[in-house]
Amino acid sequence: MTLRRIAKRLLVNGEEHEVSFLPHRTLLEVLREDMALTGTKHGCELGECGTCTVLLDGEPVLSCLVLARECEGREIETVEGLAGASGPHPLQHRFAELNAAQCGYCTPGMLMTAMSVLRKTPAPDRETLRRELAGNLCRCTGYLKIYEAIEMAAEDLQDG
Amino acid sequence: MSDLKLGFPGNEKNENFETPDNVAPPWDATTKFSVMGKPHPRLEAEDKVTGRAKYSYDIRFPDLIYAKMLRSPHASARVKSIDISKAKALPGVLYSEARQGLTVRYAGQGVAGIAAETEEILDDALALIEVEYEVLPCAVTVEDAMAPGAPQVLNGPNVGGRPGRGKERVDAVHKDADIVVEAEYRTQVQTHSCFETHGCVCKFDDDGSLTVWASTQSTFFTKTAIARAARVRPENVTVITEHMGGGFGSKFGADDWDRFCVLAARATKRPCRYLLDRRAEHLIAGNRPDSIQKCRFSANKNGTLMGAWVESWGTAGVGRGAGVQNPTIYRFRAAGSEQKDVRTHAGRGRAFRAPRHPQGVFALEGMIDEVAFALGMDPLALRQKNDAHPVRSAQWPVGQKAIGWRKTPRGNGAVKIGYGCAGSRWGHNARPGDAVRCRIGKDGSVLFANGSQDLGTGTRTLIAILGAEELGVPLSFVDVRLGHTTDPYGHASGGSVTAPSIAPVVKQAAWLAKRELLEHIAKKIGGDPKKMELTDGDVLGGKKKITFKQACALLPVDSIDVTGDSRNVFRVPRFSREVAGVQFARVAVDTETGLVKVQKIVSVQDCGQIVNELTVRSQMLGGVIQGLSYALFENRLLDRNTGDMVNADLLNYKIAGARDMPEIETIPFNVAQGGTTAGVSSLGEPATVPTAGAIANAVSHAIDARVRSLPITPDKVLAALGAL
Ligand code: FES
Ligand code: FES
């Protein structure tokens, strides 16, 4: 049995790509294996760790649980799209500055969840962060620097 | 004789020391640092936050193939036959291996392997392999493996370990003591749960040389092991580890699956990738052995600790290495232990962040609390009375103040607030053997290179800071190349040896390069090179002042290229024998549900000479969270009948998440430690040693009943309260 690839137009980080991939592939697989966007990490493929988090139409999703074919015509955002022409996003800048990334493996997923929080809640309190980040595990940092980085980025963004 | 001032404010001592001519003068308590000791973001931070950082899992080639092994669902079995023919016939299957006749000793052991064009074909092929097993009885708990008639796990007896020494003496001391306390403590098996799983991508070049992108905490061990397994000459193997997603002691060399990956790559002449899936990671890629610790401690009414005897049992699965660091830390009149290392039908234990320590200290510190209770003494006062370490003695009051220590628990409703503390010890673990290259270019570039790895602790940045400090240039001038075995040798990152071992060698390399630069420059601008110095990017003491970049431009050669090694840089007096730390916990326990919430942890840690305040605090935070996770949640559960792990995922194997985080106050203790010319100490492991003990003591304090088993789950709390 040979599976036939399907061709889909995927809108990733504001750019449209014509990608051909096997129909059962998850968004994580298509991003990493078919599009060489390896910034999104692979931690469990079971929907448990959050390292594969990307934004789909602005909402954080576990890309290992989403079929890529269902993403056609929808807006996909990954860590590679966070930085702008003027350099890293304030969120990325604060993560770097505070050492909120140790081994860094959970970082892309954390950043994407944090990004969605900041868009919805410009000044999130700790409780909001604890709730919203509950699906993103980290084995190294102890999370506190991640909270602080998001809070500082929120201030940066409000100050313009 | 010149003087060396060691220690910390409030406890300093002078040591005589003469620096040899060919050695960088040591740093001590009087050194004024410009780069060291301040918080510095890591060099690769931007790569990590933009997704540019490439981990082994991210290495790709257009013709990459994929490997995976079929794993035994049984913990003990004989493979009667393997029929791999259907799998081999599948188009796209490129390489295979069948381990006919294998005796399976743990669930997850590799039985057959496939390499294929795509991951889909790979999974289909694995499903087509037919294995006939003769299932044999298994023993996956210490008790089962020690029972009469228990199945033998490997050749030789199941029970090994170290016979105890000095029991008679401890018994005699117990007899003379005013009180004797006895209790049994238990700890669980914890898996490392690295976020990037174990494995590698490998590729042979046409000339037969092999490159391996490995997720490892020892590039050089991996190189040797791969060379041996694949029968390639070591000089033809290069291991690359630019970034890796956690190791915690479980990634020290090439494993069975790496070997299979390399063989597949060679046979197919294609690059091959094999990183474990999450389930295999739990089953076969390492764990912290469990323990049963029967403790008998004694003390006198005046609060003097007398005797301590511990008998322990634990299992590292089919491996050896179970054992506990107990008794330790405190001064006993007589102390000792007998430790039994019991083989079971389970995946091999591996070094896990401070092997033997968190489990030992949990029981030790529980016992100290129990002794204090029996004596009617404040547990903190008992500790201070019996702790002789110069650094820890200064740390206890600091932690006490930061947590707001209370002798009596708080809370009058169902939720009780308790306080607990525990101590930590570790070795300084500076080991000779590293070498570091320093290259200063005519263009003003500075590069330090070493072939070892950064497992997330911040080694790359540490090297840059040390180099910049000794060279006398701003940190931004310095670049570091790490993680390529083509560069000079560096230790495995285990035992927290990395920072203390490499620090004096970086310093030495920088010093040698600086001396050479100044000699060249003295000839150009005039002056005595011995009296010239480089400070904050300026060359001072010559006939005229010039900048570092100007000096480099004057070099008569293209670059200065020197290698510093560990000769002579380790012969420096040391301040204290062990690395010391204390932690305090405040917890809230719901006595109706049994749920424990950690509210605050204070970590006071001896950090030796601090290189980077930011990564020092990160190591302390990370140590606490792993200790908390161990204390309350993590637990590998094996089915006692089949030996398979029933929670081999990250949902049922719970690790601490964002919602479980307490407030954590990190108080790094900078100690001019000496021991090497840099005076840097071990940190990553000691930072996690006392957390579980401190939390457990706080829980017991809150509910006035002792939970002697980890993890402290609600059922155990309720049972201790007599509510179950
Ligand atoms: S890889 Fe998707 S949740 Fe873990
Ligand atoms: S930084 Fe390592 S998993 Fe989060």
Side-chain angles (χ1 to χ4, degrees):
Chain A
M1 175 192 62
T2 30
L3 279 168
R4 249 214 266 131
R5 288 169 167 259
I6 52 172
K8 296 275 169 194
R9 299 191 78 78
L10 294 181
L11 182 62
V12 181
N13 299 324
E15 256 178 65
E16 214 168 46
H17 299 261
E18 169 94 31
V19 198
S20 88
F21 52 86
L22 294 166
H24 58 265
R25 285 215 155 173
T26 64
L27 180 56
L28 177 64
E29 289 169 320
V30 170
L31 287 170
R32 288 179 53 87
E33 309 295 336
D34 297 298
M35 300 183 71
L37 290 171
T38 54
T40 304
K41 296 295 177 240
H42 170 300
C44 67
E45 277 192 302
L46 300 163
E48 295 167 349
C49 68
T51 59
C52 66
T53 308
V54 301
L55 302 187
L56 191 57
D57 292 333
E59 284 298 317
V61 296
L62 300 173
S63 63
C64 70
L65 297 185
V66 176
L67 285 177
R69 57 177 300 155
E70 289 174 355
C71 299
E72 195 169 32
R74 302 171 72 181
E75 207 182 316
I76 301 161
E77 291 170 80
T78 72
V79 69
E80 286 93 346
L82 278 186
S86 56
H89 187 273
L91 197 53
Q92 291 172 303
H93 178 73
R94 293 299 188 182
F95 262 64
E97 182 188 69
L98 295 191
N99 207 24
Q102 286 193 25
C103 84
Y105 207 71
C106 68
T107 308
M110 288 284 178
L111 285 166
M112 297 321 287
T113 305
M115 196 64 202
S116 80
V117 175
L118 288 184
R119 283 194 195 142
K120 280 183 278 192
T121 327
D125 58 17
R126 264 300 154 93
E127 198 37 48
T128 306
L129 291 181
R130 288 164 80 95
R131 190 180 58 240
E132 296 290 326
L133 290 171
N136 289 81
L137 294 175
C138 172
R139 193 58 163 159
C140 308
T141 63
Y143 305 96
L144 295 179
K145 292 289 157 194
I146 294 173
Y147 297 153
E148 282 173 36
I150 301 171
E151 286 161 356
M152 288 170 78
E155 282 174 32
D156 297 343
L157 290 166
Q158 286 193 318
D159 297 346
Chain B
M1 283 278 153
S2 64
D3 254 358
L4 203 60
K5 185 174 262 178
L6 300 178
F8 57 95
N11 191 345
E12 281 174 342
K13 65 177 181 194
N14 290 325
E15 295 275 355
N16 287 330
F17 182 71
E18 190 76 56
T19 311
D21 282 347
N22 55 351
V23 173
W27 290 324
D28 71 357
T30 64
T31 310
K32 299 265 173 293
F33 292 110
S34 6
V35 191
M36 291 261 291
K38 302 191 176 66
H40 297 287
R42 53 180 79 225
L43 257 46
E44 73 283 11
E46 191 167 314
D47 289 338
K48 284 182 171 170
V49 299
T50 53
R52 279 201 305 266
K54 291 269 178 278
Y55 297 73
S56 299
Y57 221 133
D58 304 332
I59 303 298
R60 306 174 69 262
F61 296 96
D63 55 344
L64 186 67
I65 65 167
Y66 306 85
K68 196 171 181 176
M69 298 181 91
L70 184 71
R71 306 203 165 277
S72 167
H74 309 291
S76 175
R78 208 165 3 252
V79 172
K80 285 166 70 181
S81 66
I82 304 175
D83 182 354
I84 201 164
S85 56
K86 289 196 194 109
K88 276 166 101 168
L90 198 67
V93 168
L94 303 169
Y95 181 76
S96 67
E97 178 182 308
R99 298 182 176 169
Q100 304 284 0
L102 180 81
T103 306
V104 172
R105 321 241 187 217
Y106 55 94
Q109 195 170 339
V111 173
I114 298 279
E117 289 283 353
T118 68
E119 290 193 284
E120 287 82 1
I121 298 171
L122 187 58
D123 285 336
D124 287 349
L126 288 168
L128 289 173
I129 301 177
E130 283 163 20
V131 186
E132 206 187 323
Y133 295 96
E134 179 192 343
V135 180
L136 304 169
C138 68
V140 295
T141 65
V142 164
E143 286 92 341
D144 286 355
M146 288 179 60
Q152 198 178 343
V153 177
L154 291 175
N155 293 335
N158 289 348
V159 184
R162 297 195 288 200
R165 257 194 243 132
K167 179 145 194 305
E168 297 73 27
R169 210 171 107 64
V170 176
D171 283 342
V173 169
H174 279 336
K175 233 182 236 127
D176 287 345
D178 293 336
I179 59 143
V180 177
V181 177
E182 253 178 289
E184 183 184 299
Y185 283 77
R186 282 176 181 250
T187 63
Q188 76 282 33
V189 173
Q190 178 189 26
T191 69
H192 296 71
S193 297
C194 308
F195 268 35
E196 182 187 37
T197 55
H198 287 60
C200 71
V201 174
C202 60
K203 182 176 187 294
F204 280 89
D205 281 328
D206 293 339
D207 63 1
S209 64
L210 168 65
T211 307
V212 183
W213 290 264
S215 184
T216 182
Q217 41 194 120
S218 179
T219 49
F220 287 97
F221 286 1
T222 302
K223 173 178 152 139
T224 322
I226 290 269
R228 198 180 310 126
R231 302 235 174 88
V232 184
R233 294 157 70 99
E235 56 270 33
N236 290 339
V237 181
T238 303
V239 174
I240 299 177
T241 307
E242 287 272 358
H243 305 284
M244 56 100 69
F248 312 112
S250 66
K251 292 181 176 170
F252 277 124
D255 281 296
D256 184 34
W257 48 90
D258 299 309
R259 188 196 60 87
F260 180 70
C261 188
V262 169
L263 295 184
R266 180 159 63 195
T268 58
K269 299 195 169 54
R270 303 262 299 265
C272 186
R273 177 173 95 189
Y274 188 2
L275 283 112
L276 295 184
D277 60 27
R278 183 52 58 191
R279 185 176 157 75
E281 182 76 11
H282 276 299
L283 281 168
I284 59 169
N287 57 70
R288 183 191 295 285
D290 60 3
S291 74
I292 302 168
Q293 302 174 56
K294 283 201 165 110
C295 311
R296 200 154 186 263
F297 283 30
S298 62
N300 279 350
K301 285 210 181 83
N302 65 3
T304 307
L305 291 175
M306 296 296 288
W309 186 257
V310 176
E311 205 177 346
S312 78
W313 298 262
T315 181
V318 292
R320 291 280 194 221
V324 295
Q325 197 72 23
N326 181 18
T328 179
I329 297 180
Y330 302 103
R331 219 173 13 188
F332 295 92
R333 187 119 340 141
S337 67
E338 173 152 321
Q339 313 213 352
K340 303 210 178 64
D341 195 342
V342 185
R343 279 203 188 106
T344 53
H345 288 105
R348 197 179 292 272
R350 294 186 177 192
F352 193 158
R353 203 172 191 170
R356 310 161 65 94
H357 281 70
Q359 55 268 55
V361 166
F362 158 69
L364 166 81
E365 292 289 13
M367 287 301 293
I368 296 290
D369 263 26
E370 298 203 45
V371 169
F373 184 75
L375 291 172
M377 227 178 132
D378 174 36
L380 179 56
L382 178 66
R383 286 177 171 83
Q384 287 177 280
K385 188 173 162 67
N386 293 281
D387 189 349
H389 195 288
V391 179
R392 215 168 26 240
S393 300
Q395 292 172 329
W396 289 115
V398 173
Q400 173 182 25
K401 185 147 173 270
I403 199 79
W405 181 254
R406 284 173 60 102
K407 285 186 196 145
T408 45
R410 288 193 285 131
N412 32 31
V415 177
K416 308 284 186 213
I417 313 283
Y419 296 77
C421 63
S424 149
R425 68 154 296 279
W426 193 254
H428 285 294
N429 293 0
R431 305 233 171 99
D434 282 345
V436 170
R437 205 178 130 198
C438 175
R439 182 186 177 283
I440 299 178
K442 212 172 159 63
D443 57 358
S445 62
V446 180
L447 177 77
F448 289 90
N450 174 267
S452 75
Q453 57 291 314
D454 185 340
L455 75 160
T457 49
T459 309
R460 192 179 271 111
T461 318
L462 174 118
I463 291 172
I465 294 168
L466 289 155
E469 182 68 52
E470 181 60 41
L471 263 185
V473 299
L475 186 57
S476 58
F477 286 18
V478 176
D479 226 336
V480 175
R481 189 174 59 220
L482 200 63
H484 295 246
T485 52
T486 40
D487 284 321
Y489 182 81
H491 284 298
S493 299
S496 299
V497 305
T498 309
S501 306
I502 207 165
V505 180
V506 176
K507 180 170 158 63
Q508 183 68 11
W511 183 78
L512 290 171
K514 176 171 71 178
R515 298 316 324 164
E516 198 174 321
L517 175 72
L518 292 175
E519 262 164 45
H520 283 302
I521 300 313
K523 287 196 198 111
K524 298 272 178 181
I525 63 169
D528 176 0
K530 292 219 166 59
K531 299 211 175 94
M532 288 163 66
E533 251 314 320
L534 249 168
T535 311
D536 294 333
D538 289 322
V539 178
L540 304 177
K543 287 262 158 64
K544 62 175 182 181
K545 183 177 147 184
I546 57 169
T547 66
F548 174 72
K549 302 260 179 193
Q550 288 167 336
C552 294
L554 291 177
L555 277 176
V557 287
D558 184 47
S559 67
I560 291 171
D561 207 329
V562 299
T563 300
D565 62 36
S566 61
R567 279 172 296 171
N568 305 318
V569 300
F570 283 75
R571 295 208 192 105
V572 179
R574 187 175 270 304
F575 177 70
S576 62
R577 266 188 48 230
E578 292 188 327
V579 177
V582 302
Q583 288 186 19
F584 286 73
R586 186 179 77 224
V587 307
V589 187
D590 187 324
T591 52
E592 286 169 359
T593 63
L595 201 70
V596 175
K597 264 275 180 205
V598 181
Q599 293 185 331
K600 179 169 179 171
I601 300 277
V602 173
S603 170
V604 191
Q605 185 61 47
D606 173 358
C607 303
Q609 180 61 59
I610 294 177
V611 180
N612 183 357
E613 198 210 300
L614 193 63
T615 44
V616 154
R617 287 189 195 271
S618 294
Q619 283 302 301
M620 292 171 70
L621 289 170
V624 167
I625 188 66
Q626 278 194 350
L628 180 148
S629 197
Y630 177 57
L632 299 183
F633 308 123
E634 297 182 40
N635 195 4
R636 182 194 71 180
L637 296 172
L638 298 183
D639 184 308
R640 207 167 155 197
N641 296 312
T642 66
D644 201 4
M645 181 167 170
V646 299
N647 57 343
D649 52 47
L650 288 172
L651 192 65
N652 300 297
Y653 184 91
K654 178 168 162 55
I655 68 169
R659 304 212 72 164
D660 306 309
M661 285 308 299
E663 180 193 345
I664 302 176
E665 187 174 343
T666 51
I667 307 178
F669 245 59
N670 189 83
V671 179
Q673 184 52 248
T676 71
T677 54
V680 174
S681 279
S682 298
L683 175 61
E685 289 170 289
T688 200
V689 169
T691 315
I695 291 172
N697 283 344
V699 170
S700 300
H701 183 236
I703 64 173
D704 194 19
R706 196 148 283 275
V707 180
R708 297 190 183 86
S709 158
L710 297 183
I712 305 174
T713 44
D715 56 316
K716 292 181 190 166
V717 172
L718 292 178
L721 285 167
L724 271 189

